[in-house]
Amino acid sequence: MRLHRLDITAFGPFGTTQSVDFDALSAAGLFLLHGPTGAGKTSVLDAVCYALYGSVPGARQGGQGTTLRSDHAAPGTRTSVTLELTVAGRRLEITRQPPWERPKKRGGAGTTVDKAQTWLRERDAATGAWKDLSRSHQEIGEEITQLLGMSREQFCQVVLLPQGDFARFLRADAEARGKLLGRLFDTQRFADVEKRLADRRRAAEARVRDGDADLLADAHRMQQAAGGAMELPELSPGEPGLADAVLTAAAVARSTAREQLTAAHCRLATAESVRAATGRALDETRERHRLQRRFAEARERAERLRERSGAHDEDQARMERARKAETVAPALELRDSADAEHRRAAAAEERARALLPAHLADAGPDGLAAAARRAAEELGGLESARRAERRLTGLLDERAGLDRQERADDEAREDAEAWLAGWEATRTALQDRIAAAQQAATRAGELAARRDTARHRLEAARTRDRLTRDAEATAEQARAAREQALAARQHWLDLKEQRLTGIAAELAAGLTDGAPCAVCGATEHPAPARRVAGHVDRDTEERALKDYQQAEDRRAEADQRLAAVQVELAAAGAGAGDTPAEQLAGELDDVEREYARAREAASALHAAQEELRAAEREHELRTAAQRDAAVRAAARVGHRERLDLERATLEQELAQARGDAPSVAARAGQLERQVALLTDAADAARAAEAAARRLKDADARLADAAFRAGFDTPRAAADALLDDAAHRQLQRRLDAWHDEEAAVRAVLAEPETAAAAREPATDLAAAQRAAEDADRAVREAASARDAAARRCAELDRLSARAAASVRRLGPLREEYDRVARLAALTAGTSAENERRMRLESYVLAARLEQVAAAATVRLLRMSSGRYTLVHSDDRTGRGRSGLGLHVVDAWTGRERDTATLSGGETFFASLALALGLADVVTDEAGGVRLDTLFIDEGFGSLDDQTLDEVLDVLDSLRERDRSVGIVSHVPDLRRRIHAQLEVVKDRTGSQLRQRGV
């Protein structure tokens, strides 16, 4: 971007129209904008910014409309700013007029408001004529922003370099730097990524919680279906382990329901067998006449049963005692557990007491605890002895240190005497080296100027050669584009002529009877025109027109590229002349070699100066060391006597505290072990007593349970218990007895058997009631079996749904874990993010590192190689890291904070930072070339040498075909910079004057 001309009317302090010819000012490369305070130097820059963006920078950006208008302007003069510039190879002119409250032209007194107006024009490179592009504020704003590639804030920061802002930037904390860099580099999208990840984490967490809530709802339904036999986990939605707990509880509920279903099947089978038995008994009662022949057999079976009745009674009694003993079984198990615990506690107590001294082996828990307290008190009393022991060690070390100091002082005194003997010769040699290096440094400065000039000419020559080749290729492309545009235009005109020839047929195609003709207005159409072969319709013509317009656009782009290349070629040729690049390279190599030799010789200057200063300091140190050694030798005599006396006293005190132990620490270790053993023994004794009490309680409960069950002793209850095999065998014998007895009774109950035995007839009603009872029992068992089957089916269905929910929740949980990890990482709260850097801070840190590197290139030259700006990732306090900025001082080799720089150092450091930031933001904006820069104030804090170095750096920008405007009222700059734009103020408003152009 290069500024050419600025016209200001009734703007700020300028009451009349003022013009600035930037082309004339830029020809010198470096120009000065100066004037008294309040004259309007900054208003010139405000006008440039207002022309481009429609607003002024900084705190003045709220000013629109009448606030921009000059108080010195005539009532009929409208505020206007016109800026002519070249950007992206296009010559543009922007005119902006803010809203204006002007006097009414008609209707008497009063005012009316004219709306703001904006014009954008472009000059044709071929003809030089201006053509209007737009009058829309929005379109012009978007076009300028797109061409510059920078927002208004970025433009004000990288083109209108505000030194005060960058001085504050140097001293700012990480948060303030982050806000400025965030505005310049537009890192809001990274902050949006952080927010988006946080929102996704919350959304994923909500989905997981909703899924867990549905899973818990299914679990409650399963609990209801299980009849309360299912235990639900005490977990809330979102807690880990909920899914596994619900599935486990569901599996237990299903298993229990299946066991209940199996039991119901068994009860149904039993009821059906009983019903069959009663049915058979009823049939036998009705048909007992058929059983008379079995009378004799039944009598024999009855006799055998009577013979075995005693054994049967014993089996029944044994079974009854076993059922009673089962109620005592839990108490027996509790007593066995208490007995085992008591034995373990007694063994632990015995082991603990075995480690105690003989006089404490039989002491009770309270006695052991008291002994432990006494030992602990004695241990606490040794603290004074420990301090004395440490003091004695320190005394011995101090005594040895005195001896070492005496030997060291003797050596230092002898060394100082030897070094001081050659001092005069050393100083003379170093002064000679400094004088030779200073002469070489002067020669290196002269050669550096020659080298820079040769280097710039070589770069210009190479650019000239490259642009010559580019110009030829671009000219060929432009010629081809012009030929294609001419061919497309001819094709479009041919098609348009063909369409006009057949336009009557095209119009006739839309005629209808009764409707007027679009040409003559007649409502009758006796002979409408007919289309002929090869007729060209409107779509074909428009496609040809579109092709022509596209070809014309390509031709214009090719011409613009050719013009831009030709302008660059002319600029490169002016800098290099006609000298071949190879010859310029040879001249540069010669200067480089001569400069390197001079620089190498001059590089010894700093080292020689430092060596001389170091030798002078060493001379002072040697002299002082010789004097101090004598003083310390006299002071050591009395100190040594005091140490010997204190050592004797401490050794006597420690002999009493140690007793028979080798040291106080050994005595303390003995007491610590004794305290630990006594404490463990007391705890073991208490545990043994507690286990004995629990065993006694278990014995009492067992005796009580045996008594309630009807046993005389717990042993009798234990003996009455049957294992599973004995119980099943006894039950089979009892069942067999009962089955046999029932069969005999059935036979004896037959009518024939009754008649034979002279017994009464069997009661048929009783047999029928027994059969009905059996039928009812079967129906109840079947109903219970069906209910159990429905419970199993419902639990299976709900379990399947819960399992499906868990499978669906699996990916959601994985997504939540992944998103939560990313959100924590980008927010700087994750353990993986060691420096606690947010994503936006990480991006800004990279940008700051680029800015520091670009600024260092110029800062090294401004500070004669002393200072370097470096980026730091170190954390400050509890904040996050990433936006630290330090300066490295080559004279001390130390890195320090930029806030420690002096006023002048802060200025050229902030200037280097501003220029570096301008380069980085320019690259970020797409590589838009900035050919015009302004630097606002700050030069008054520099001394003459530093000012020269800063101006050399600014002058080097001119070598890249840049122009730099310095805004300052420092008088010395007026003598150094010839091209000037002066702002003069008086009562009628300020005026602009250009000098030295």
Side-chain angles (χ1 to χ4, degrees), residues 709-923:
F711 294 99
D712 295 335
T713 63
R715 175 51 56 187
D719 294 339
L721 283 173
L722 295 176
D723 57 16
D724 292 341
H727 187 277
R728 287 194 298 271
Q729 184 177 5
L730 180 58
Q731 186 65 45
R732 280 197 297 270
R733 289 202 303 271
L734 290 174
D735 291 342
W737 170 268
H738 287 300
D739 292 342
E740 181 67 14
E741 185 183 20
V744 170
R745 287 179 179 179
V747 172
L748 296 177
E750 293 177 354
E752 293 79 2
T753 304
R758 305 292 184 178
E759 294 177 354
T762 302
D763 189 359
L764 183 57
Q768 290 176 344
R769 285 194 299 274
E772 290 172 357
D773 292 341
D775 289 336
R776 185 166 52 254
V778 169
R779 289 194 297 273
E780 291 174 355
S783 177
R785 190 270 317 273
D786 294 340
R790 288 193 298 273
R791 185 181 301 112
C792 286
E794 181 66 8
L795 288 174
D796 289 341
R797 183 183 67 81
L798 292 174
S799 296
R801 191 163 75 176
S805 299
V806 171
R807 287 193 296 272
R808 287 195 303 272
L809 281 174
L812 292 179
R813 290 185 187 277
E814 293 177 359
E815 179 185 2
Y816 168 72
D817 293 339
R818 183 173 61 256
V819 172
R821 177 174 171 271
L822 286 175
L825 185 64
T826 56
T829 59
S830 171
E832 297 174 284
N833 193 336
E834 297 178 357
R835 296 188 180 275
R836 292 174 54 80
M837 292 177 64
R838 293 172 47 241
L839 177 60
E840 185 180 16
S841 298
Y842 177 80
V843 176
L844 291 178
R847 295 303 190 196
L848 182 58
E849 188 172 5
Q850 294 174 342
V851 171
T856 295
V857 176
R858 295 184 174 89
L859 181 58
L860 283 171
R861 187 169 178 182
M862 291 182 190
S863 62
S864 299
R866 179 178 179 182
Y867 292 118
T868 301
L869 284 175
V870 294
H871 162 254
S872 173
D873 278 337
D874 294 337
R875 293 173 56 185
T876 55
R878 296 184 178 180
R880 296 187 174 93
S881 60
L883 297 179
L885 194 62
H886 292 170
V887 62
V888 178
D889 190 343
W891 288 9
T892 63
R894 295 183 178 273
E895 179 177 326
R896 53 192 174 100
D897 194 84
T898 53
T900 62
L901 294 173
S902 65
E905 292 170 340
T906 299
F907 168 74
F908 61 68
S910 61
L911 175 59
L913 187 65
L915 295 174
L917 185 61
D919 291 342
V920 175
V921 173
T922 300
D923 295 339

Side-chain angles (χ1 to χ4, degrees), residues 228-251:
M230 176 180 173
E231 294 183 1
L232 289 180
E234 296 182 359
L235 294 174
S236 302
E239 294 187 28
L242 176 64
D244 293 338
V246 169
L247 293 180
T248 301

Side-chain angles (χ1 to χ4, degrees), residues 271 273-284 767 770-775:
S273 65
V274 172
R275 181 177 65 178
T278 56
R280 288 193 301 272
L282 180 59
D283 293 339
E284 289 173 355
E772 290 172 357
D773 292 341
D775 289 336

